[in-house]
Amino acid sequence: MIGRKKAGPNYNKYGWAFISIAFALYLIFTIYPAIASLKLSFESFQAGKYSFAGLANYKRMFGDAIFFQSLKNTFLYMIIQVPIMLFMALIIATLLNSSALRMKGFFRTSIFLPCVTSLVAYSILFKMMFSLDGIVNMVLIELGILDAPYQYLQDSTWARAIVIIAMLWRWTGYNVIFYLAALQNIPKETFEAAKVDGANSVQTFFKITIPQLKPIVLLTAIMSTNGTLQLFDETMNITQGGPANSTLTISQYIYNQSFVYAPNFGYASAISYVVVFLMIILAILQFSVAGRRD
């Protein structure tokens, strides 16, 4: 009978040793806050301390008009901005992947450059551009389109539109990188075969490019949806949620409940978990739709 080989050193302990610090930090700064905030969402501040309040914070949402307004605004941004951004990213990535395009490095850098700008800085820049004495009013007056400067940020429709434009400028290039990387993995023979069969650029884009990129499109759709549900910097710095809460987002309302109004961390935590729940539901729906289309 052949004897068993002597067992080598137990490398598992070295693996755990290497990841122990990162794992400890993950527990302290991610898992513990998540559990603590969930517990806090069932509590309210009374008599100088937080005490269990059951579902009171969650019930309060059903009668909170501002909460529903922030929810409506957030979904409006998501429904309008996400599809436009992803479609623009697909088109730009296709153009950047073209063999006929020169100076690809310059254009790719230019498209991605907004993604590395500070969220606060670019938001303030857009606020300045559309202010009463901003460059937009100056140009339109010089062209004779306006007789007097217009207060875009005091108009609820224009204020929402400016937030969406700002987000498109900031985040489209981020998705372009994903699509461009995926496009470069599609065999060129596929496009050449389509060209030989007589397919034009539009047919190739919708019949070959988009189906080949379906997994990446799903990934970017989920990431963009989650990002929009957590939208904060743009509305905070461009409109402060105004006029009359017409641009207020859920994340900004959570911030207001925690630090602007009389602090109510229990209610803010409850709203936060509603956002988590919405993210999960939307991700499941997106996966379901993608699965049915397969």
Side-chain angles (χ1 to χ4, degrees):
M1 182 176 179
I2 300 173
R4 294 182 180 179
K5 292 184 178 180
K6 187 178 180 179
N10 184 3
Y11 289 106
N12 286 337
K13 61 182 180 181
Y14 298 111
W16 282 108
F18 278 120
I19 69 169
S20 60
I21 297 176
F23 185 65
L25 292 173
Y26 178 74
L27 288 175
I28 295 170
F29 294 105
T30 302
I31 301 301
Y32 172 73
I35 296 173
S37 62
L38 179 61
K39 176 177 176 291
L40 188 60
S41 70
F42 295 99
E43 298 178 345
S44 62
F45 191 76
Q46 296 175 351
K49 64 177 182 178
Y50 281 95
S51 56
F52 183 73
L55 297 175
N57 289 321
Y58 292 93
K59 290 178 181 178
R60 175 181 170 182
M61 291 184 207
F62 291 98
D64 190 344
I66 299 178
F67 166 73
F68 281 104
Q69 179 66 46
S70 68
L71 190 65
K72 173 186 171 183
N73 295 337
T74 304
F75 271 89
L76 181 67
Y77 295 136
M78 184 182 69
I79 292 169
I80 296 176
Q81 182 259 341
V82 171
I84 294 174
M85 177 180 65
L86 297 184
F87 188 68
M88 286 176 59
L90 275 168
I91 294 175
I92 294 170
T94 303
L95 294 173
L96 291 177
N97 194 52
S98 174
S99 57
L101 180 68
R102 297 181 179 180
M103 300 176 63
K104 289 185 179 181
F106 170 77
F107 288 111
R108 290 175 182 178
T109 303
S110 300
I111 293 296
F112 186 71
L113 195 59
C115 300
V116 298
T117 58
S118 165
L119 288 169
V120 175
Y122 105 90
S123 300
I124 293 175
L125 179 63
F126 269 85
K127 180 178 181 179
M128 293 170 61
M129 288 170 57
F130 287 92
S131 64
L132 202 60
D133 56 349
I135 189 171
V136 174
N137 273 320
M138 291 173 59
V139 171
L140 293 178
I141 290 173
E142 286 293 327
L143 293 175
I145 298 175
L146 293 179
D147 296 325
Y150 187 74
Q151 294 186 342
Y152 296 99
L153 298 177
Q154 298 303 315
D155 183 313
S156 59
T157 302
W158 269 108
R160 293 190 187 107
I162 292 167
V163 171
I164 291 172
I165 292 170
M167 292 169 64
L168 291 173
W169 181 85
R170 176 64 167 75
W171 294 108
T172 300
Y174 180 78
N175 293 287
V176 168
I177 299 301
F178 286 93
Y179 295 147
L180 189 57
L183 280 169
Q184 292 174 349
N185 289 323
I186 300 176
K188 293 183 179 179
E189 292 79 6
T190 307
F191 297 105
E192 292 172 356
K195 188 174 182 180
V196 170
D197 290 340
N200 57 36
S201 300
V202 176
Q203 290 172 327
T204 301
F205 179 74
F206 284 101
K207 299 294 184 179
I208 295 177
T209 303
I210 293 181
Q212 293 274 5
L213 297 180
K214 186 176 179 180
I216 303 299
V217 171
L218 178 61
L219 171 66
T220 53
I222 292 173
M223 291 193 305
S224 300
T225 299
N226 291 347
T228 305
L229 285 175
Q230 300 174 68
L231 180 64
F232 176 78
D233 294 88
E234 287 82 353
T235 56
M236 184 68 179
N237 292 292
I238 296 175
T239 63
Q240 288 79 48
N245 295 323
S246 61
T247 61
L248 183 72
T249 62
I250 299 177
S251 293
Q252 190 177 355
Y253 189 49
I254 293 170
Y255 174 84
N256 290 345
Q257 287 292 336
S258 301
F259 305 109
V260 177
Y261 309 150
N264 193 333
F265 295 109
Y267 187 49
S269 297
I271 298 174
S272 299
Y273 272 91
V274 169
V275 176
V276 172
F277 179 75
L278 289 173
M279 288 181 183
I280 295 171
I281 294 298
L282 290 171
I284 292 172
L285 289 175
Q286 288 169 330
F287 275 113
S288 300
V289 170
R292 285 199 297 269
R293 288 180 179 176
D294 283 336

